[in-house]
């Protein structure tokens, strides 16, 4: 399945393309236009659920570890709200897409955008290994693990289907949560589909739920 998806350097950006079905289009990271720009302008600022789940009503400029960075969308939102975000991505392909997206955003020299990007630090690292021997103590650890889809109809977003088929599920997500609670200073925030079971069947301290997704918030063991 991995051979089906190819990294292609186009004149404009680095893309992940489906070699068996090129008509579906490519997946790439774009912090300049599209959904990222729309969410930056109209996302709701610190009033949005993600900001509440991270604790921005209490923590002004927290250090956030995004341990499952993916395409970096939540990390970009958090950085736009003043957070210092470290992004961990273990897939070399997804890491390459992220690095390209960050580089292109920084190259715009647009003041607001470059300020946001300056608060995002990308590392090619396995989150389990990193959390086992952290090189700093984040205020918040954010987890958005891949999980097996229960219905094929849920695989409607092209980028999520690509990632699901390319990197698979995160069977170590429960262990990630355990390690994250040992490392985080203030909380661990886990993004879940609204009706999905709790990660590792662990009840969170509280939940912030929206129409499609919810955020389960866990306190650190040393709280």
């Amino acid at each position: 399945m991995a051979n089906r998806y190819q990294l292609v350097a186009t004149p404009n950006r680095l893309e992940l393309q489906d070699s068996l079905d090129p008509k579906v289009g490519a997946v790439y990271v774009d912090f300049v236009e599209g959904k990222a720009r729309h969410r930056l302008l109209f996302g709701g600022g610190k009033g949005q659920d993600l900001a509440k789940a991270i604790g921005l009503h209490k923590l002004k400029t927290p250090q956030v570890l995004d341990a499952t960075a993916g395409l970096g969308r939540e990390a970009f939102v958090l950085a736009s709200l003043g957070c210092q975000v470290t992004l961990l991505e273990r897939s070399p392909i997804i890491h390459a897409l992220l690095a390209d997206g960050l580089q292109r955003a920084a190259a715009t020299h647009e003041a607001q955008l470059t300020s946001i990007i300056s608060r995002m630090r990308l590392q090619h690292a396995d989150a389990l290994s990193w959390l086992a021997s952290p090189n700093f103590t984040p205020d918040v650890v954010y987890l958005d693990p891949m999980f097996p889809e229960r219905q094929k109809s849920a695989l409607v977003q092209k980028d999520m289907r690509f990632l699901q088929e390319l990197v698979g599920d995160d069977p170590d997500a429960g262990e990630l949560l355990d390690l994250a609670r040992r490392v985080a200073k203030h909380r661990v925030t886990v993004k879940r589909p609204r009706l999905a079971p709790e990660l590792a069947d662990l009840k969170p301290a509280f939940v912030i739920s929206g129409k499609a997704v919810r955020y389960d918030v866990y306190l650190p063991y040393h709280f």
Side-chain angles (χ1 to χ4, degrees):
M1 183 63 70
N3 292 333
R4 173 177 180 173
Y5 299 101
Q6 306 291 332
L7 277 178
V8 178
T10 73
N12 298 320
R13 60 187 173 236
L14 191 64
E15 297 182 350
L16 184 64
Q17 298 181 0
D18 185 342
S19 61
L20 297 184
D21 190 6
K23 292 182 180 179
V24 301
V27 168
Y28 52 90
V29 173
D30 186 2
F31 297 122
V32 181
E33 299 177 346
K35 292 181 180 179
R37 172 64 64 175
H38 185 271
R39 193 166 178 182
L40 179 61
L41 296 175
F42 307 109
K46 293 186 178 181
Q48 57 190 300
D49 288 347
L50 175 60
K52 295 175 183 177
I54 294 296
L56 292 185
H57 58 297
K58 294 181 179 179
L59 307 169
K60 301 305 179 186
T61 56
Q63 287 253 12
V64 178
L65 178 73
D66 185 348
T68 52
L71 297 177
R73 290 170 181 164
E74 282 84 3
F76 179 78
V77 171
L78 294 174
S80 74
L81 298 176
C83 300
Q84 298 287 336
V85 188
T86 298
L87 299 83
L88 304 184
E89 179 50 53
R90 61 183 171 186
S91 164
I93 292 177
I94 306 305
H95 177 270
L97 291 175
L98 270 172
D100 178 69
L102 289 167
Q103 184 178 26
R104 285 186 288 106
T108 64
H109 301 296
E110 181 185 328
Q112 181 187 29
L113 193 55
T114 53
S115 177
I116 294 170
I117 298 303
S118 72
R119 292 191 288 273
M120 300 171 67
R121 185 164 63 100
L122 175 62
Q123 292 190 18
H124 183 203
D126 178 80
L128 277 177
S129 299
W130 195 100
L131 288 167
S133 302
N135 55 32
F136 74 94
T137 304
D139 295 303
V140 180
V141 177
Y142 178 73
L143 300 175
D144 182 9
M146 286 283 194
F147 62 96
E149 293 286 356
R150 298 244 191 296
Q151 298 177 354
K152 288 187 177 180
S153 60
L155 291 175
V156 293
Q157 287 189 320
K158 173 184 60 185
D159 50 3
M160 291 308 298
R161 175 169 61 83
F162 276 34
L163 265 62
Q164 185 86 31
E165 294 181 353
L166 183 66
V167 303
D169 304 321
D170 284 326
D172 54 6
E175 189 177 354
L176 268 181
L177 175 58
D178 180 70
L179 283 172
R181 295 180 70 187
R182 298 177 188 277
V183 170
K185 288 181 183 178
H186 295 283
R187 64 176 63 183
V188 178
T189 300
V190 181
K191 181 181 178 181
R192 303 291 284 162
R194 187 174 64 86
L195 300 178
E198 294 158 347
L199 188 58
D201 295 322
L202 291 175
K203 185 176 179 61
F206 62 93
V207 177
I208 294 175
S209 187
K211 293 181 180 179
V213 303
R214 72 172 197 269
Y215 298 96
D216 294 346
V217 180
Y218 297 84
L219 300 181
Y221 292 131
H222 51 77
F223 188 81

